Amino acid sequence: CTSCGRVQLKKAFENYDANQVIYIFKEYQREKKFLAQMSEYLPDWKKQNANIEFLRWLSSNTYWYRIFLEAINNYDAKKVSDVFKFYRKEKKIFAHLNKTIPEWKTINASKGFEKWLMENDAFWSKQIGFAFLDGNEKKVEFIFKKYKEENGAF
């Protein structure tokens, strides 16, 4: 927060606290570098950062939320942009599944699907995980169709 930084800086100057002044300037430089890197990795990240859907997704997903916060705290623009990119891939995959396999949410929530994914040395579980990370909606669709084929329609 720029205005927060100004207030802290003003107090540090008023208190003749050179160490605090130096710390604030260093943090400002780190933040400036981080924001520049974010724009390099993902030019439109600012739009998504303020997107309420993204914020809901992030707050409901403990794994990605933890990675996101850790990356922010460490000024790791690459990791932060990776979280944004994964969100976009997942959203694209879900939109595709909604069109091609309307019952995919029911299948996904079933114990049978979870068990099936874990069979064969977790082959399908790994495949669907990789497909999501790659943003490969056709592969995710194929896995759901394969399950339906082997286990009957829903």
Side-chain angles (χ1 to χ4, degrees):
C1 148
T2 307
S3 61
C4 298
R6 285 188 198 131
V7 170
Q8 289 175 341
L9 189 59
K10 183 180 177 193
K11 283 183 181 178
F13 273 117
E14 287 171 356
N15 295 327
Y16 302 101
D17 188 344
N19 289 332
Q20 185 65 18
V21 170
I22 291 168
Y23 173 79
I24 291 168
F25 277 119
K26 284 182 179 178
E27 283 300 303
Y28 171 75
Q29 291 300 322
R30 282 181 72 187
E31 185 174 318
K32 191 174 171 182
K33 180 180 175 186
F34 170 79
L35 295 174
Q37 289 173 334
M38 281 299 299
S39 295
E40 183 181 312
Y41 289 126
L42 202 65
D44 63 342
W45 72 272
K46 289 178 186 175
K47 286 185 232 169
Q48 188 170 344
N49 190 41
N51 179 316
I52 193 71
E53 285 180 35
F54 171 73
L55 297 173
R56 283 187 188 134
W57 172 83
L58 191 60
S59 67
S60 68
N61 192 317
T62 308
Y63 175 77
W64 288 106
Y65 182 74
R66 184 182 54 75
I67 288 175
F68 188 78
L69 282 183
E70 184 179 298
I72 291 284
N73 288 333
N74 293 322
Y75 295 94
D76 187 341
K78 175 76 171 92
K79 265 191 185 171
V80 172
S81 67
D82 287 346
V83 174
F84 281 126
K85 289 175 183 176
F86 180 80
Y87 166 75
R88 291 176 182 183
K89 290 174 187 177
E90 184 177 83
K91 190 174 173 182
K92 183 177 137 193
I93 288 169
F94 289 166
H96 179 78
L97 289 175
N98 286 334
K99 288 180 198 169
T100 59
I101 305 174
E103 69 279 14
W104 76 268
K105 289 179 185 176
T106 305
I107 294 169
N108 193 49
S110 73
K111 292 286 183 197
F113 184 61
E114 186 179 329
K115 183 180 175 199
W116 180 79
L117 285 172
M118 296 309 290
E119 290 174 356
N120 302 316
D121 295 326
F123 174 77
W124 288 116
S125 181
K126 288 179 185 172
Q127 291 304 307
I128 203 165
F130 291 141
F132 265 95
L133 288 173
D134 292 342
N136 188 337
E137 72 264 15
K138 291 289 187 185
K139 193 170 193 175
V140 174
E141 175 190 355
F142 170 79
I143 293 169
F144 275 95
K145 285 183 176 178
K146 183 79 172 151
Y147 176 77
K148 280 178 60 175
E149 180 185 297
E150 291 181 17
N151 295 281
F154 267 73

